[in-house]
Amino acid sequence: MQQKIKVPSNRNFGIVFCIVFLIISLWPLLDNSNIRIWSLIISVIFLILGAINSKLLSPLNKLWFKFGIFLGNFIAPIVMGIIYFLVVTPTGLIMRFFGKDLLNLKRNNKKTYWISKDNSNSDLKNQF
């Protein structure tokens, strides 16, 4: 089921990219270098366009949004696969090595896997 995803506002897009380019422009100050003027100018432009909620940011906003969707569709399965093979699989192998059967799935000659209860005093009132 596909949902219609709303593109963020141009104002938010402008402010976020203003901050990103501001960080890029001021980053060399950590190494006692000069600031990057070109990045500072782009930061100011994004701030002005974001503050007035300009329609000039709409194509960039949509392009950035589509890039984010593409990246999410591409990266998410890779990350999930890495998590599965680095966390779930070793955990299962360790459990199997130590003979643990947390779900009681070992094969046996029982006709049913239901667990009979000894205490039948429960009437399902005041459960909590």
Side-chain angles (χ1 to χ4, degrees):
M1 188 156 110
Q2 283 271 338
Q3 290 184 5
K4 187 76 173 169
I5 301 173
K6 184 180 172 190
V7 178
S9 71
N10 291 337
R11 175 170 290 158
N12 291 340
F13 175 77
I15 292 171
V16 166
F17 270 85
C18 167
I19 293 170
V20 167
F21 281 107
L22 185 64
I23 291 171
I24 291 171
S25 69
L26 298 177
W27 192 266
L29 291 177
L30 295 175
D31 296 330
N32 294 326
S33 299
N34 295 331
I35 63 172
R36 295 182 178 119
I37 300 297
W38 63 269
S39 181
L40 188 62
I41 292 170
I42 293 173
S43 175
V44 170
I45 291 171
F46 271 110
L47 179 65
I48 292 169
L49 292 176
I52 61 174
N53 201 7
S54 174
K55 297 289 181 186
L56 293 173
L57 292 177
S58 291
L60 293 174
N61 192 4
K62 289 179 184 175
L63 183 68
W64 183 252
F65 185 75
K66 288 180 182 179
F67 177 69
I69 295 293
F70 168 74
L71 219 56
N73 289 336
F74 182 72
I75 297 295
I78 294 172
V79 170
M80 293 304 290
I82 290 171
I83 289 172
Y84 179 79
F85 287 113
L86 293 180
V87 176
V88 176
T89 302
T91 303
L93 292 175
I94 291 170
M95 297 296 276
R96 185 172 289 176
F97 177 75
F98 286 116
K100 298 289 183 180
D101 185 23
L102 299 178
L103 297 177
N104 293 325
L105 296 176
K106 287 186 178 179
R107 299 205 182 258
N108 54 28
N109 293 329
K110 292 182 180 178
K111 291 183 180 181
T112 182
Y113 286 98
W114 283 91
I115 299 172
S116 59
K117 287 181 62 174
D118 294 332
N119 185 4
S120 61
N121 295 337
S122 175
D123 58 359
L124 298 178
K125 291 183 181 177
N126 298 324
Q127 295 180 37
F128 305 104

